[in-house]
């Protein structure tokens, strides 16, 4: 599993706040890995709203990012993404661990997220971290043919 560092070892990935200047690279990854990607405006709105947005870089290269909203003792992971060429190297786990720690440090007792039933890779990751399905939102996501449900997953952070 990859370590996520905040130090300055150039050979290890490092985490930093996402900024407006990151959004071109973020959008390159986002557009490549999702059938229905977030728009640049979705990321810009998240930054403006003060959500916890982080980027993971190895040197200059963007490996991935997450967007986390924390409020009223609950956290919602709104986006977690790893560039296609860097998946399955532990970076998603590293970012998820960071998001959980950040949520906890801001007083969240519970972390929620939505995932497509068709997204078995993400579900496998979340299951490994102990997330449990608590609800289904019918027709939540746009899909190629009509809409797709969302599974709502939860992880207690206590
Ligand atoms: C889901 C995602 C964030 C996982 O990131 P990642 O860096 O590839 O994940 P990791 O390498 O940390 O994988 C950890 C574990 O998750 C599971 N997993 C991850 N990708 C998987 C895949 N494609 N198939 C099956 N299991 C997978 C495995 O259990 C894996 O452990 P292992 O490699 O030891 O078997 C990444 O695949 C991604 O960005 N996908 C596209 C965007 C997306 O779907 N985001 C989530 C939306 S809810």
């Amino acid at each position: 599993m990859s370590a996520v560092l905040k130090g300055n070892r150039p050979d290890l990935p490092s985490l930093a706040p996402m900024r407006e200047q990151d959004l071109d690279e973020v959008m390159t990854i986002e557009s490549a890995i999702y059938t229905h990607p977030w728009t640049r405006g979705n990321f810009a709105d998240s930054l403006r709203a003060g959500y916890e947005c982080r980027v993971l870089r190895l040197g200059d290269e963007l490996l991935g990012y997450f967007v986390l909203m924390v409020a009223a003792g609950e956290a919602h992971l709104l986006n977690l993404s790893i560039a296609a060429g860097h998946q399955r190297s532990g970076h998603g786990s590293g970012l998820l661990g960071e998001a959980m720690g950040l949520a906890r440090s801001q007083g969240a007792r519970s972390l929620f997220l939505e995932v497509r039933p068709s997204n078995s890779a993400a579900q496998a990751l979340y299951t490994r971290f102990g997330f449990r399905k608590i609800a289904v939102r019918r027709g939540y996501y746009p899909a190629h043919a009509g809409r797709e449900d969302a599974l709502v997953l939860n992880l207690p952070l206590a």
Side-chain angles (χ1 to χ4, degrees):
M1 186 178 294
S2 85
V4 176
L5 294 193
K6 289 145 191 131
N8 51 7
R9 287 253 322 255
D11 55 328
L12 291 174
S14 64
L15 195 69
M18 185 187 291
R19 304 188 190 289
E20 188 84 32
Q21 304 92 276
D22 295 311
L23 293 190
D24 285 347
E25 291 163 280
V26 166
M27 285 309 299
T28 300
I29 294 177
E30 181 77 13
S31 314
I33 63 173
Y34 290 102
T35 55
H36 296 80
W38 273 26
T39 64
R40 192 185 177 96
N42 293 141
F43 287 102
D45 287 348
S46 297
L47 290 173
R48 264 194 297 276
Y51 296 165
E52 301 294 347
C53 308
R54 299 286 185 276
V55 289
L56 184 70
R57 287 187 182 280
L58 184 59
D60 286 342
E61 187 180 7
L62 185 66
L63 303 181
Y65 46 88
F66 70 74
V67 176
L68 178 79
M69 179 179 73
V70 189
E74 286 184 358
H76 295 255
L77 188 58
L78 303 178
N79 190 313
L80 172 69
S81 302
I82 300 296
H86 291 283
Q87 292 177 4
R88 218 67 199 263
S89 302
H91 300 310
S93 301
L95 278 189
L96 183 55
E98 288 293 325
M100 287 164 53
L102 194 52
R104 242 187 232 112
S105 72
Q106 298 196 7
R109 293 178 299 279
S110 198
L111 177 58
F112 295 86
L113 58 84
E114 274 102 21
V115 62
R116 289 178 188 260
S118 61
N119 191 347
S120 51
Q123 285 179 61
L125 169 66
Y126 299 137
T127 300
R128 256 172 82 144
F129 274 76
F131 281 83
R132 295 282 176 268
K133 184 176 99 176
I134 57 161
V136 176
R137 291 195 211 284
R138 296 283 169 213
Y140 181 80
Y141 290 114
H144 281 314
R147 312 280 300 178
E148 183 175 359
D149 294 343
L151 307 179
V152 183
L153 306 189
N154 174 256
L155 179 71
L157 293 174

